[in-house]
Amino acid sequence: MTAKFIVLEGLEGAGKTTALKFITAWLQQQQIEVVSTREPGGTVIAEKIRTLVKQAVANEPLTLMSELLLMYAARVQNTDVIIKPALAQGKWVISDRYFLSSFAYQGGGRQLEIAAIQAIHQACLGEFKPDLTLYFDIEPELGLSRAKGRGALDRFEQQHLDFFIRTRQVYQKCLAKDDTIVEINAGLAIEQVNAQLIKALQTLLLSLQSQLQP
Ligand SMILES: Nc1ncnc2c1ncn2[C@@H]1O[C@H](COP(=O)(O)OP(=O)(O)OP(=O)(O)O)[C@@H](O)[C@H]1O
Ligand SMILES: [Mg+2]
């Protein structure tokens, strides 16, 4: 079976990390070998970049372009060191966030020019993209209240509500344009979220089986 690359996207507190564990276990039950990773991060170097972009530094703001480039540096590292080698070995890969986060957060939230993101994206990743993106759609207020329940907030989680409203708008625009992005109603209870996840995974598995039939 061809290995697939699945990405989980959405605002803070939408339930991506919770879902990653559920999806990993569900795929393993289907005898599928799974490698999980996250963004920014996933490798030793990329995790160092994660710390840089998540923590505020006194008296020196991280410029918007620096933030975007650091995100792509971490992404290229994760892609070349973890994601592509795993797929080449026939292992499925699940990533907690991937490039859609840059379009949504740096493009929507921070209002960087989308054309600039596209240019950097093309240089870094070319045509490489996930087979399936599960977009966890949630009201920003609800997601943030869940994230607050987890403890101290990072540099992104401290943004104003408008930032997350703009971020969500870009996610929703991308969802409407790309049929490899599937919407998950993340405002529901965990059992109902999991039922939606199983449905999306079963659809992916069925499409694979039909491709394999002569
Ligand atoms: N469907 C749900 N209903 C209620 N609580 C949930 C649900 N899904 C996750 N949670 C809880 O909400 C909190 C945030 O979930 P999680 O960490 O999975 O979100 P996330 O999308 O990974 O957020 P972040 O982007 O900040 O990492 C956790 O405490 C989790 O247990
Ligand atoms: Mg998370």
Side-chain angles (χ1 to χ4, degrees):
M1 195 191 291
T2 330
K4 294 288 165 194
F5 177 27
I6 301 172
V7 167
L8 313 180
E9 285 282 1
L11 296 181
E12 350 306 283
K16 300 176 295 297
T17 305
T18 307
L20 186 130
K21 293 177 198 140
F22 175 80
I23 294 173
T24 302
W26 191 88
L27 289 173
Q28 284 168 343
Q29 274 172 17
Q30 325 296 313
Q31 318 303 326
I32 292 170
E33 206 176 336
V34 184
V35 169
S36 62
T37 187
R38 69 170 182 179
E39 285 224 343
T43 79
V44 177
I45 291 173
E47 289 289 332
K48 288 186 190 220
I49 299 174
R50 181 185 182 93
T51 308
L52 273 178
V53 296
K54 288 266 189 184
Q55 290 175 358
V57 173
N59 304 322
E60 184 184 334
L62 182 64
T63 76
L64 300 190
M65 189 53 85
S66 295
E67 179 179 276
L68 176 69
L69 291 169
L70 285 170
M71 293 294 187
Y72 268 94
R75 183 162 301 135
V76 169
Q77 195 70 13
N78 193 20
T79 304
D80 290 349
V81 173
I82 304 279
I83 300 171
K84 285 184 175 172
L87 292 170
Q89 288 168 19
K91 295 172 190 163
W92 288 41
V93 177
I94 310 180
S95 184
D96 193 336
R97 298 192 180 282
Y98 200 53
F99 68 71
L100 209 53
S101 286
S102 285
F103 285 86
Y105 284 77
Q106 277 76 47
R110 302 243 193 259
Q111 297 179 293
L112 258 176
E113 227 184 300
I114 294 286
I117 305 177
Q118 274 164 342
I120 292 162
H121 178 92
Q122 183 62 32
C124 291
L125 293 189
E127 301 308 316
F128 182 73
K129 65 183 287 229
D131 297 291
L132 172 66
T133 298
L134 298 166
Y135 163 58
F136 289 67
D137 187 59
I138 195 163
E139 294 289 336
E141 292 94 329
L142 177 57
L144 287 171
S145 74
R146 285 185 193 166
K148 278 182 190 143
R150 260 178 345 204
L153 300 181
D154 69 25
R155 223 167 53 82
F156 288 94
E157 291 161 349
Q158 289 166 10
Q159 293 296 318
H160 292 292
L161 198 57
D162 283 1
F163 173 94
F164 296 104
I165 291 170
R166 289 195 300 273
T167 302
R168 186 187 192 196
Q169 279 168 352
V170 174
Y171 270 134
Q172 289 176 333
K173 253 192 216 163
C174 294
L175 169 75
K177 279 193 288 195
D178 184 340
D179 60 9
T180 68
I181 306 175
V182 170
E183 183 173 15
I184 302 294
N185 181 345
L188 303 177
I190 288 188
E191 299 70 37
Q192 288 163 290
V193 170
N194 289 348
Q196 296 174 75
L197 296 175
I198 292 174
K199 203 173 145 211
L201 293 171
Q202 281 172 335
T203 306
L204 180 66
L205 285 175
L206 277 176
S207 76
L208 267 179
Q209 281 162 10
S210 61
Q211 278 167 24
L212 291 175
Q213 269 157 21

